Amino acid sequence: MKELTDRTALVTGGTSGIGLAIAEALAGAGANVMIDGFGETDACEALAKRLADAHGIKAAWTGADVSKPDQLAAAVDRAERELGPVDILVNNAGVQHVAPVEDFPVAQWDRIVAINLSSAFYATRLVLAGMKERGWGRIVSTASAHSLVASPYKSAYVAAKHGLVGFTKTVALEAAAQGVTVNCISPGYVWTPLVEKQIPDTMKARGLTREQVIEDVLLKAQPTKAFVTVEQVAAMALFLCSDAASQITGANISMDGGWTAQ
Ligand code: NAD
């Protein structure tokens, strides 16, 4: 039997990048997995089928918008009906917008805070009571190096990620005695569509070429001068779900090539 056999995980932002790698790692350890995220229906359903076939687990996809509490509630209901009680929640969905504060659109601020921060509350409040009752649970949120330090032009993202760490610490304390751990992983730059998409805006905001953004903005912050990989983040998430990590709670684990050590 694999370590997570008979556990069920809900992974938001599970259709792409870091979330998909985490879903793959959890499925590989035997967990049933519901991936939530946007994408073309056939392609997302094929992703879930691939996870189920490759790992011999149950998997499903939902396109719930995590910024909408009722859609998340429907996703949790469906996960519990089709796959089993949610023992592992991965709050990973995230979006970015890059602009100076004076020009930052209010709608973008609200969207980023809802998707990157409030969604963790919307989902946690639905699954925490069951985890406590069963005496076992894992909540892992993908924060960011931007939960510890700031960069210009990313005010909403930096504020939301700092907030996510505060939320994580609070829930960790509330659930500590019931076998539920609650942690953040804070990667530096990971090469995913989210990073790729912000390059044009950063070029515009700072008047740089694509190569300059990669070398002088993104990797400048990372002393190792290398992107973190999605597999490395997924391996950390999997570790946090293991029994070996049962005493790690309320933590914010940096995986940023030394960025925040500076
Ligand atoms: P990505 O763009 O590859 O994936 C984002 C995922 O979130 C997709 O599955 C997308 O469909 C989903 N999503 C977006 N809005 C959603 C919504 N409203 N409802 C449901 N799903 C939604 O990005 P990624 O780089 O894999 O990012 C994943 C997480 O990691 C984010 O929280 C991001 O802030 C964080 N992060 C990324 C990096 C990086 O360098 N890529 C670094 C630090 C932290």
Side-chain angles (χ1 to χ4, degrees):
M1 206 163 94
K2 295 180 181 169
E3 181 156 20
L4 299 179
T5 298
D6 294 334
R7 304 282 187 203
T8 291
L10 170 63
V11 182
T12 73
T15 55
S16 173
I18 295 169
L20 181 56
I22 292 176
E24 188 95 53
L26 296 176
N32 299 320
V33 180
M34 172 157 277
I35 50 173
D36 172 55
F38 297 153
E40 206 254 310
T41 301
D42 287 350
C44 293
E45 275 170 356
L47 277 180
K49 184 169 182 330
R50 182 174 64 71
L51 287 176
D53 292 348
H55 302 290
I57 48 105
K58 290 192 269 182
W61 164 70
T62 163
D65 180 340
V66 295
S67 68
K68 307 275 186 315
D70 53 335
Q71 292 191 23
L72 257 179
V76 169
D77 272 359
R78 203 183 130 207
E80 305 227 337
R81 254 193 342 267
E82 294 180 17
L83 308 179
V86 176
D87 307 299
I88 299 168
L89 169 66
V90 180
N91 295 307
N92 168 80
V95 289
Q96 175 64 284
H97 184 81
V98 180
V101 170
E102 312 87 287
D103 305 329
F104 213 95
V106 171
Q108 284 291 356
W109 174 280
D110 290 345
R111 173 174 168 263
I112 289 173
V113 171
I115 295 172
N116 295 25
L117 171 59
S118 302
S119 69
F121 160 66
Y122 299 152
T124 299
R125 77 200 167 100
L126 299 168
V127 298
L128 191 61
M131 289 178 178
K132 284 178 168 176
E133 242 170 68
R134 295 187 297 277
W136 196 95
R138 295 288 186 265
I139 300 177
V140 179
S141 297
T142 312
S144 164
H146 284 120
S147 73
L148 294 162
V149 295
S151 295
Y153 314 122
K154 296 184 177 177
S155 54
Y157 187 86
V158 170
K161 294 297 189 183
H162 276 66
L164 183 57
V165 173
F167 176 70
T168 294
K169 289 179 184 173
T170 309
V171 183
L173 296 181
E174 292 184 23
Q178 281 97 11
V180 180
T181 71
V182 192
N183 293 291
C184 286
I185 301 175
S186 280
Y189 282 103
V190 189
W191 190 256
T192 68
L194 182 137
V195 168
E196 177 76 45
K197 272 186 253 163
Q198 66 188 274
I199 290 176
D201 284 345
T202 309
M203 286 165 65
K204 203 164 100 195
R206 299 197 181 199
L208 299 175
T209 65
R210 182 183 163 80
E211 290 64 36
Q212 284 169 326
V213 171
I214 291 175
E215 292 298 319
D216 302 341
V217 180
L218 302 184
L219 291 182
K220 181 172 178 232
Q222 247 158 254
T224 53
K225 297 291 169 220
F227 286 98
V228 181
T229 69
V230 294
E231 291 79 12
Q232 289 169 336
V233 181
M236 179 57 73
L238 182 59
F239 176 68
L240 288 173
C241 292
S242 71
D243 283 337
S246 66
Q247 291 304 314
I248 301 178
T249 195
N252 181 15
I253 296 172
S254 291
M255 299 185 73
D256 60 12
W259 175 352
T260 55
Q262 298 173 93

Short mmCIF file of all heavy atoms in Angstrom, two decimals, residues 12-20 36-39 63-67 91-95 111 115-116 142-146 157 161 164 185-195 197-198 227 230, ligand 1:
data_model
loop_
_atom_site.label_atom_id
_atom_site.label_comp_id
_atom_site.label_asym_id
_atom_site.label_seq_id
_atom_site.Cartn_x
_atom_site.Cartn_y
_atom_site.Cartn_z
N THR A 12 -6.26 22.94 -6.10
CA THR A 12 -6.72 24.06 -6.93
C THR A 12 -5.57 24.51 -7.83
O THR A 12 -4.40 24.36 -7.48
CB THR A 12 -7.25 25.24 -6.09
OG1 THR A 12 -6.16 25.91 -5.47
CG2 THR A 12 -8.27 24.79 -5.06
N GLY A 13 -5.93 25.03 -8.98
CA GLY A 13 -4.88 25.35 -9.96
C GLY A 13 -4.17 24.07 -10.41
O GLY A 13 -2.99 24.09 -10.74
N GLY A 14 -4.92 22.97 -10.42
CA GLY A 14 -4.32 21.66 -10.71
C GLY A 14 -4.23 21.33 -12.19
O GLY A 14 -3.81 20.22 -12.54
N THR A 15 -4.64 22.27 -13.04
CA THR A 15 -4.62 21.96 -14.48
C THR A 15 -3.35 22.45 -15.17
O THR A 15 -3.21 22.30 -16.38
CB THR A 15 -5.85 22.59 -15.19
OG1 THR A 15 -5.87 24.01 -14.90
CG2 THR A 15 -7.14 21.96 -14.73
N SER A 16 -2.44 23.03 -14.42
CA SER A 16 -1.26 23.63 -15.06
C SER A 16 -0.11 23.73 -14.06
O SER A 16 -0.32 23.66 -12.85
CB SER A 16 -1.65 25.04 -15.55
OG SER A 16 -0.52 25.74 -16.05
N GLY A 17 1.08 23.87 -14.56
CA GLY A 17 2.25 24.26 -13.78
C GLY A 17 2.45 23.49 -12.47
O GLY A 17 2.43 22.26 -12.44
N ILE A 18 2.61 24.25 -11.39
CA ILE A 18 2.94 23.66 -10.09
C ILE A 18 1.81 22.75 -9.60
O ILE A 18 2.06 21.66 -9.08
CB ILE A 18 3.21 24.79 -9.06
CG1 ILE A 18 4.47 25.58 -9.46
CG2 ILE A 18 3.34 24.24 -7.65
CD1 ILE A 18 4.67 26.88 -8.68
N GLY A 19 0.56 23.19 -9.75
CA GLY A 19 -0.57 22.41 -9.25
C GLY A 19 -0.67 21.06 -9.92
O GLY A 19 -0.94 20.04 -9.27
N LEU A 20 -0.45 21.03 -11.22
CA LEU A 20 -0.52 19.76 -11.95
C LEU A 20 0.60 18.83 -11.47
O LEU A 20 0.37 17.62 -11.28
CB LEU A 20 -0.41 20.02 -13.46
CG LEU A 20 -0.50 18.79 -14.35
CD1 LEU A 20 -1.77 17.98 -14.10
CD2 LEU A 20 -0.42 19.19 -15.83
N ASP A 36 -8.70 21.06 -9.82
CA ASP A 36 -9.58 22.18 -10.14
C ASP A 36 -8.77 23.22 -10.89
O ASP A 36 -7.63 23.50 -10.52
CB ASP A 36 -10.12 22.80 -8.85
CG ASP A 36 -10.88 24.08 -9.14
OD1 ASP A 36 -11.81 24.04 -9.96
OD2 ASP A 36 -10.51 25.12 -8.57
N GLY A 37 -9.36 23.75 -11.93
CA GLY A 37 -8.64 24.81 -12.65
C GLY A 37 -9.26 25.03 -14.00
O GLY A 37 -10.14 24.28 -14.43
N PHE A 38 -8.79 26.08 -14.65
CA PHE A 38 -9.35 26.44 -15.95
C PHE A 38 -8.62 25.71 -17.06
O PHE A 38 -7.50 25.25 -16.89
CB PHE A 38 -9.25 27.94 -16.16
CG PHE A 38 -10.03 28.75 -15.16
CD1 PHE A 38 -9.65 30.04 -14.83
CD2 PHE A 38 -11.16 28.21 -14.54
CE1 PHE A 38 -10.37 30.78 -13.89
CE2 PHE A 38 -11.89 28.95 -13.61
CZ PHE A 38 -11.49 30.24 -13.29
N GLY A 39 -9.31 25.64 -18.20
CA GLY A 39 -8.72 25.01 -19.37
C GLY A 39 -9.82 24.47 -20.24
O GLY A 39 -10.99 24.47 -19.85
N GLY A 63 -13.98 22.66 -13.04
CA GLY A 63 -13.57 24.00 -13.49
C GLY A 63 -14.05 25.08 -12.54
O GLY A 63 -14.24 26.23 -12.96
N ALA A 64 -14.23 24.75 -11.27
CA ALA A 64 -14.74 25.74 -10.30
C ALA A 64 -13.80 26.94 -10.23
O ALA A 64 -12.58 26.79 -10.18
CB ALA A 64 -14.85 25.10 -8.91
N ASP A 65 -14.40 28.13 -10.20
CA ASP A 65 -13.63 29.37 -10.02
C ASP A 65 -13.41 29.55 -8.52
O ASP A 65 -14.37 29.76 -7.77
CB ASP A 65 -14.45 30.53 -10.62
CG ASP A 65 -13.72 31.86 -10.47
OD1 ASP A 65 -12.81 31.98 -9.63
OD2 ASP A 65 -14.08 32.79 -11.22
N VAL A 66 -12.15 29.49 -8.08
CA VAL A 66 -11.89 29.53 -6.63
C VAL A 66 -12.23 30.87 -5.98
O VAL A 66 -12.29 30.96 -4.76
CB VAL A 66 -10.41 29.18 -6.30
CG1 VAL A 66 -10.08 27.75 -6.68
CG2 VAL A 66 -9.44 30.17 -6.92
N SER A 67 -12.46 31.88 -6.80
CA SER A 67 -12.84 33.17 -6.22
C SER A 67 -14.34 33.22 -5.93
O SER A 67 -14.83 34.21 -5.40
CB SER A 67 -12.44 34.33 -7.14
OG SER A 67 -13.20 34.31 -8.32
N ASN A 91 -4.07 24.54 -1.74
CA ASN A 91 -4.50 25.85 -2.22
C ASN A 91 -3.39 26.40 -3.11
O ASN A 91 -2.38 26.91 -2.61
CB ASN A 91 -4.72 26.81 -1.04
CG ASN A 91 -5.85 26.37 -0.14
OD1 ASN A 91 -6.96 26.13 -0.61
ND2 ASN A 91 -5.57 26.24 1.14
N ASN A 92 -3.57 26.25 -4.39
CA ASN A 92 -2.46 26.57 -5.29
C ASN A 92 -2.84 27.53 -6.42
O ASN A 92 -1.95 28.16 -6.99
CB ASN A 92 -1.92 25.25 -5.87
CG ASN A 92 -0.97 25.47 -7.02
OD1 ASN A 92 0.21 25.79 -6.82
ND2 ASN A 92 -1.48 25.36 -8.25
N ALA A 93 -4.14 27.67 -6.70
CA ALA A 93 -4.53 28.54 -7.82
C ALA A 93 -3.98 29.95 -7.57
O ALA A 93 -4.03 30.45 -6.45
CB ALA A 93 -6.05 28.59 -7.95
N GLY A 94 -3.46 30.55 -8.60
CA GLY A 94 -2.91 31.90 -8.42
C GLY A 94 -2.81 32.63 -9.73
O GLY A 94 -2.69 32.01 -10.79
N VAL A 95 -2.92 33.94 -9.64
CA VAL A 95 -2.77 34.80 -10.83
C VAL A 95 -1.93 36.01 -10.45
O VAL A 95 -1.75 36.31 -9.27
CB VAL A 95 -4.14 35.26 -11.40
CG1 VAL A 95 -4.90 34.11 -12.04
CG2 VAL A 95 -4.98 35.92 -10.31
N ARG A 111 -9.39 40.82 -7.92
CA ARG A 111 -9.29 39.48 -8.51
C ARG A 111 -8.10 38.72 -7.89
O ARG A 111 -8.22 37.56 -7.50
CB ARG A 111 -9.10 39.65 -10.02
CG ARG A 111 -8.81 38.40 -10.78
CD ARG A 111 -8.79 38.70 -12.29
NE ARG A 111 -8.24 37.59 -13.01
CZ ARG A 111 -6.97 37.51 -13.42
NH1 ARG A 111 -6.13 38.50 -13.19
NH2 ARG A 111 -6.54 36.44 -14.06
N ILE A 115 -8.43 35.34 -5.65
CA ILE A 115 -7.92 34.05 -6.14
C ILE A 115 -6.72 33.57 -5.30
O ILE A 115 -6.61 32.39 -4.97
CB ILE A 115 -7.53 34.14 -7.63
CG1 ILE A 115 -8.80 34.40 -8.47
CG2 ILE A 115 -6.81 32.89 -8.11
CD1 ILE A 115 -8.55 34.71 -9.93
N ASN A 116 -5.82 34.49 -4.94
CA ASN A 116 -4.57 34.07 -4.27
C ASN A 116 -4.69 34.00 -2.75
O ASN A 116 -3.85 33.38 -2.11
CB ASN A 116 -3.43 35.04 -4.61
CG ASN A 116 -3.05 35.04 -6.08
OD1 ASN A 116 -3.85 34.71 -6.94
ND2 ASN A 116 -1.84 35.40 -6.38
N THR A 142 0.37 27.08 -1.86
CA THR A 142 1.52 27.60 -2.59
C THR A 142 1.54 29.11 -2.39
O THR A 142 0.71 29.82 -2.92
CB THR A 142 1.40 27.29 -4.10
OG1 THR A 142 1.06 25.91 -4.26
CG2 THR A 142 2.72 27.56 -4.79
N ALA A 143 2.48 29.55 -1.55
CA ALA A 143 2.65 31.01 -1.38
C ALA A 143 3.69 31.44 -2.40
O ALA A 143 3.53 31.16 -3.60
CB ALA A 143 3.04 31.33 0.05
N SER A 144 4.79 32.05 -1.97
CA SER A 144 5.78 32.55 -2.92
C SER A 144 6.89 33.23 -2.12
O SER A 144 6.67 33.63 -0.97
CB SER A 144 5.10 33.59 -3.82
OG SER A 144 6.06 34.38 -4.50
N ALA A 145 8.05 33.40 -2.73
CA ALA A 145 9.07 34.26 -2.11
C ALA A 145 8.45 35.63 -1.83
O ALA A 145 8.85 36.32 -0.89
CB ALA A 145 10.28 34.39 -3.04
N HIS A 146 7.44 35.99 -2.62
CA HIS A 146 6.74 37.25 -2.40
C HIS A 146 5.82 37.22 -1.18
O HIS A 146 5.08 38.16 -0.93
CB HIS A 146 5.98 37.66 -3.67
CG HIS A 146 6.89 38.23 -4.72
ND1 HIS A 146 7.03 37.67 -5.96
CD2 HIS A 146 7.75 39.29 -4.67
CE1 HIS A 146 7.93 38.38 -6.65
NE2 HIS A 146 8.38 39.35 -5.89
N TYR A 157 -0.31 41.02 -5.48
CA TYR A 157 0.23 39.66 -5.33
C TYR A 157 1.02 39.56 -4.03
O TYR A 157 0.85 38.61 -3.25
CB TYR A 157 1.13 39.37 -6.54
CG TYR A 157 1.65 37.96 -6.65
CD1 TYR A 157 0.89 36.97 -7.27
CD2 TYR A 157 2.91 37.62 -6.16
CE1 TYR A 157 1.38 35.68 -7.40
CE2 TYR A 157 3.41 36.32 -6.29
CZ TYR A 157 2.64 35.36 -6.91
OH TYR A 157 3.13 34.08 -7.04
N LYS A 161 -0.03 37.18 -0.93
CA LYS A 161 0.84 36.07 -0.50
C LYS A 161 1.29 36.27 0.96
O LYS A 161 1.39 35.29 1.71
CB LYS A 161 2.06 35.94 -1.42
CG LYS A 161 1.70 35.51 -2.86
CD LYS A 161 1.06 34.13 -2.93
CE LYS A 161 0.92 33.64 -4.37
NZ LYS A 161 0.26 32.34 -4.47
N LEU A 164 -1.65 35.13 2.92
CA LEU A 164 -1.83 33.67 2.89
C LEU A 164 -0.99 33.01 3.99
O LEU A 164 -1.43 32.05 4.63
CB LEU A 164 -1.41 33.16 1.50
CG LEU A 164 -1.58 31.67 1.20
CD1 LEU A 164 -3.03 31.23 1.38
CD2 LEU A 164 -1.11 31.37 -0.23
N ILE A 185 4.31 26.55 1.02
CA ILE A 185 5.57 26.41 0.31
C ILE A 185 5.78 27.72 -0.45
O ILE A 185 4.85 28.21 -1.10
CB ILE A 185 5.53 25.24 -0.70
CG1 ILE A 185 5.23 23.93 0.02
CG2 ILE A 185 6.85 25.15 -1.47
CD1 ILE A 185 5.04 22.73 -0.91
N SER A 186 6.98 28.28 -0.33
CA SER A 186 7.23 29.56 -0.99
C SER A 186 8.35 29.45 -2.02
O SER A 186 9.53 29.66 -1.71
CB SER A 186 7.56 30.62 0.07
OG SER A 186 6.35 31.07 0.63
N PRO A 187 7.96 29.15 -3.26
CA PRO A 187 8.98 29.05 -4.30
C PRO A 187 9.45 30.42 -4.76
O PRO A 187 8.71 31.41 -4.68
CB PRO A 187 8.24 28.35 -5.46
CG PRO A 187 6.90 27.96 -4.95
CD PRO A 187 6.63 28.81 -3.75
N GLY A 188 10.68 30.46 -5.24
CA GLY A 188 11.14 31.60 -6.02
C GLY A 188 10.56 31.44 -7.41
O GLY A 188 9.44 30.94 -7.56
N TYR A 189 11.28 31.82 -8.42
CA TYR A 189 10.74 31.72 -9.77
C TYR A 189 10.78 30.28 -10.28
O TYR A 189 11.81 29.63 -10.29
CB TYR A 189 11.48 32.64 -10.73
CG TYR A 189 11.02 34.07 -10.57
CD1 TYR A 189 11.77 35.00 -9.88
CD2 TYR A 189 9.78 34.47 -11.08
CE1 TYR A 189 11.32 36.31 -9.71
CE2 TYR A 189 9.31 35.76 -10.91
CZ TYR A 189 10.09 36.68 -10.23
OH TYR A 189 9.63 37.95 -10.06
N VAL A 190 9.60 29.81 -10.67
CA VAL A 190 9.44 28.47 -11.23
C VAL A 190 9.01 28.68 -12.68
O VAL A 190 8.13 29.52 -12.93
CB VAL A 190 8.32 27.70 -10.49
CG1 VAL A 190 8.28 26.24 -10.91
CG2 VAL A 190 8.47 27.82 -8.98
N TRP A 191 9.60 27.99 -13.61
CA TRP A 191 9.25 28.21 -15.00
C TRP A 191 7.90 27.57 -15.30
O TRP A 191 7.80 26.35 -15.46
CB TRP A 191 10.34 27.69 -15.95
CG TRP A 191 10.05 28.15 -17.34
CD1 TRP A 191 9.53 27.39 -18.36
CD2 TRP A 191 10.20 29.48 -17.87
NE1 TRP A 191 9.35 28.17 -19.47
CE2 TRP A 191 9.75 29.45 -19.21
CE3 TRP A 191 10.64 30.69 -17.33
CZ2 TRP A 191 9.76 30.60 -20.00
CZ3 TRP A 191 10.66 31.81 -18.13
CH2 TRP A 191 10.22 31.75 -19.45
N THR A 192 6.83 28.38 -15.34
CA THR A 192 5.48 27.89 -15.63
C THR A 192 4.78 28.96 -16.48
O THR A 192 5.30 30.07 -16.63
CB THR A 192 4.65 27.72 -14.33
OG1 THR A 192 4.40 29.03 -13.79
CG2 THR A 192 5.32 26.85 -13.29
N PRO A 193 3.56 28.66 -16.97
CA PRO A 193 2.83 29.67 -17.76
C PRO A 193 2.62 30.99 -17.01
O PRO A 193 2.60 32.06 -17.60
CB PRO A 193 1.49 28.98 -18.04
CG PRO A 193 1.80 27.52 -18.03
CD PRO A 193 2.87 27.35 -16.99
N LEU A 194 2.52 30.93 -15.65
CA LEU A 194 2.31 32.16 -14.88
C LEU A 194 3.50 33.12 -15.04
O LEU A 194 3.32 34.33 -15.18
CB LEU A 194 2.10 31.82 -13.40
CG LEU A 194 1.82 32.98 -12.44
CD1 LEU A 194 0.70 32.60 -11.46
CD2 LEU A 194 3.04 33.39 -11.66
N VAL A 195 4.69 32.57 -15.04
CA VAL A 195 5.90 33.39 -15.20
C VAL A 195 6.01 33.88 -16.64
O VAL A 195 6.27 35.06 -16.90
CB VAL A 195 7.15 32.58 -14.77
CG1 VAL A 195 8.43 33.28 -15.18
CG2 VAL A 195 7.13 32.38 -13.27
N LYS A 197 3.71 34.43 -18.73
CA LYS A 197 2.69 35.45 -19.06
C LYS A 197 3.04 36.83 -18.53
O LYS A 197 2.56 37.82 -19.04
CB LYS A 197 1.32 35.02 -18.47
CG LYS A 197 0.52 34.14 -19.42
CD LYS A 197 -0.87 33.87 -18.85
CE LYS A 197 -0.99 32.46 -18.35
NZ LYS A 197 -2.05 32.12 -17.47
N GLN A 198 3.84 36.91 -17.44
CA GLN A 198 4.10 38.24 -16.87
C GLN A 198 5.30 38.93 -17.53
O GLN A 198 5.57 40.09 -17.25
CB GLN A 198 4.25 38.18 -15.36
CG GLN A 198 5.45 37.42 -14.86
CD GLN A 198 5.41 37.25 -13.35
OE1 GLN A 198 5.86 38.11 -12.62
NE2 GLN A 198 4.87 36.14 -12.90
N PHE A 227 15.96 28.48 -12.40
CA PHE A 227 14.56 28.40 -12.02
C PHE A 227 14.34 27.17 -11.13
O PHE A 227 15.01 26.15 -11.31
CB PHE A 227 13.68 28.29 -13.27
CG PHE A 227 13.56 29.59 -14.03
CD1 PHE A 227 14.35 29.84 -15.14
CD2 PHE A 227 12.65 30.56 -13.63
CE1 PHE A 227 14.24 31.04 -15.83
CE2 PHE A 227 12.54 31.76 -14.31
CZ PHE A 227 13.33 32.00 -15.41
N VAL A 230 8.92 22.53 -11.23
CA VAL A 230 7.61 22.14 -10.66
C VAL A 230 7.73 20.82 -9.90
O VAL A 230 7.05 20.61 -8.89
CB VAL A 230 6.50 22.05 -11.73
CG1 VAL A 230 6.20 23.42 -12.33
CG2 VAL A 230 6.80 21.03 -12.81
P1 NAD B 1 -0.05 28.52 -13.80
O1 NAD B 1 -0.51 29.75 -14.49
O2 NAD B 1 0.75 27.51 -14.55
O3 NAD B 1 -1.26 27.80 -13.12
C1 NAD B 1 -2.25 28.50 -12.43
C2 NAD B 1 -3.40 27.57 -12.19
O4 NAD B 1 -4.41 28.29 -11.47
C3 NAD B 1 -4.06 27.08 -13.48
O5 NAD B 1 -4.45 25.73 -13.30
C4 NAD B 1 -5.28 27.98 -13.61
O6 NAD B 1 -6.34 27.42 -14.36
C5 NAD B 1 -5.65 28.11 -12.14
N1 NAD B 1 -6.52 29.25 -11.87
C6 NAD B 1 -6.31 30.55 -12.14
N2 NAD B 1 -7.36 31.28 -11.74
C7 NAD B 1 -8.24 30.41 -11.21
C8 NAD B 1 -9.53 30.54 -10.62
N3 NAD B 1 -10.12 31.74 -10.50
N4 NAD B 1 -10.16 29.44 -10.21
C9 NAD B 1 -9.59 28.22 -10.33
N5 NAD B 1 -8.37 28.03 -10.86
C10 NAD B 1 -7.72 29.12 -11.30
O7 NAD B 1 0.78 29.05 -12.54
P2 NAD B 1 1.85 28.39 -11.56
O8 NAD B 1 3.13 29.11 -11.80
O9 NAD B 1 1.81 26.92 -11.60
O10 NAD B 1 1.29 28.94 -10.20
C11 NAD B 1 0.71 28.14 -9.22
C12 NAD B 1 0.86 28.84 -7.88
O11 NAD B 1 2.23 28.99 -7.58
C13 NAD B 1 0.24 30.24 -7.81
O12 NAD B 1 -0.39 30.43 -6.58
C14 NAD B 1 1.46 31.13 -7.91
O13 NAD B 1 1.25 32.37 -7.31
C15 NAD B 1 2.49 30.31 -7.18
N6 NAD B 1 3.89 30.64 -7.47
C16 NAD B 1 4.35 30.53 -8.73
C17 NAD B 1 5.69 30.86 -8.97
C18 NAD B 1 6.28 30.76 -10.32
O14 NAD B 1 7.40 31.27 -10.49
N7 NAD B 1 5.65 30.15 -11.29
C19 NAD B 1 6.50 31.28 -7.92
C20 NAD B 1 5.96 31.37 -6.65
C21 NAD B 1 4.65 31.04 -6.44
#
